[in-house]
């Protein structure tokens, strides 16, 4: 409140919170994830349907395997119904800190770039830092969890648990 600085007082207060400093983001060009085509099918288009991505039902047309018939829905509607699945935009990826070359600060910056770039593309991202594994999950909090883990990475390249 003293704008002119005539009466100056100093007081040291205890600060009980952590300050998280995120790694510096390198100006890398936007890279494509290294996916390969198998049997002429790009993995992003889905080779198999994952039952974890159940979306709903629709009338059975005969072009899907019989194992996808939803028997309860078929009995309820008196017509054969098949289960529909949403395919993820990209398969999940786990970034391994041990496979990124260079000094710790550079590795953290590269991993931060990849986490943000892959999240922008809708790819579920996980992170392996030494013995600690953050599995790729579909959660709005996953990006913040991974960025925090990278920010809290110790001097030895291991993440702090917390």
């Amino acid at each position: 409140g003293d704008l002119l600085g005539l009466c100056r007082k100093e007081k040291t207060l205890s600060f009980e919170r952590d300050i998280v400093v995120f790694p510096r983001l390198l100006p890398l060009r936007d890279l494509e994830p290294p996916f390969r085509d198998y049997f002429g099918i790009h993995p992003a288009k889905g080779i198999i349907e994952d039952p974890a991505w159940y979306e709903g039902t629709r009338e059975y047309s005969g072009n899907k395997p019989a194992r996808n018939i939803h028997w309860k829905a078929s009995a309820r509607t008196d017509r054969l119904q098949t289960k529909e699945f949403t395919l993820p935009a990209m398969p999940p990826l786990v970034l391994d800190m041990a496979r990124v070359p260079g000094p710790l600060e550079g590795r953290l910056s590269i991993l931060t770039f990849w986490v943000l770039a892959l999240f922008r593309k809708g790819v579920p991202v996980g992170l392996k830092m030494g013995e600690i594994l953050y599995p790729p999950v579909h959660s709005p909090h996953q990006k913040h969890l991974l960025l925090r883990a990278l920010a809290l990475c110790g001097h030895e390249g291991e993440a702090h648990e917390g």
Side-chain angles (χ1 to χ4, degrees):
D2 185 12
L3 296 175
L4 300 176
L6 299 175
C7 184
R8 188 171 189 182
K9 290 183 183 180
E10 290 186 23
K11 184 176 181 181
T12 304
L13 301 173
S14 63
F15 188 71
E16 298 292 327
R17 296 187 178 243
D18 292 332
I19 296 175
V20 179
V21 179
F22 291 100
R24 183 172 52 102
L25 206 58
L26 295 177
L28 301 174
R29 59 185 167 88
D30 197 17
L31 303 173
E32 282 294 319
F35 295 119
R36 294 189 188 132
D37 291 345
Y38 293 102
F39 311 111
I41 303 171
H42 192 282
K45 295 180 178 68
I47 296 173
I48 59 170
E49 292 179 329
D50 186 355
W53 291 85
Y54 176 72
E55 185 177 65
T57 60
R58 70 180 183 109
E59 193 168 328
Y60 184 68
S61 61
N63 61 349
K64 297 240 178 173
R67 73 171 184 268
N68 288 345
I69 293 176
H70 195 300
W71 294 106
K72 287 183 181 180
S74 297
R76 191 172 50 246
T77 61
D78 203 25
R79 291 180 166 242
L80 280 180
Q81 300 287 312
T82 184
K83 296 175 187 174
E84 287 294 311
F85 303 99
T86 303
L87 296 174
M90 294 278 189
L93 288 177
V94 175
L95 301 173
D96 188 353
M97 183 176 214
R99 294 186 170 255
V100 178
L104 179 62
E105 184 180 341
R107 293 187 312 172
L108 292 174
S109 294
I110 290 170
L111 286 171
T112 302
F113 167 80
W114 272 103
V115 165
L116 292 174
L118 291 170
F119 264 97
R120 260 193 312 263
K121 291 185 180 297
V123 178
V125 182
L127 186 61
K128 185 175 184 302
M129 302 172 77
E131 297 298 317
I132 299 172
L133 174 67
Y134 298 92
V137 295
H138 297 282
S139 166
H141 305 292
Q142 179 75 355
K143 178 171 70 171
H144 301 293
L145 176 73
L146 297 182
L147 291 177
R148 182 174 171 80
L150 288 168
L152 295 175
C153 188
H155 192 64
E156 304 301 319
E158 298 293 323
H160 294 282
E161 294 187 67

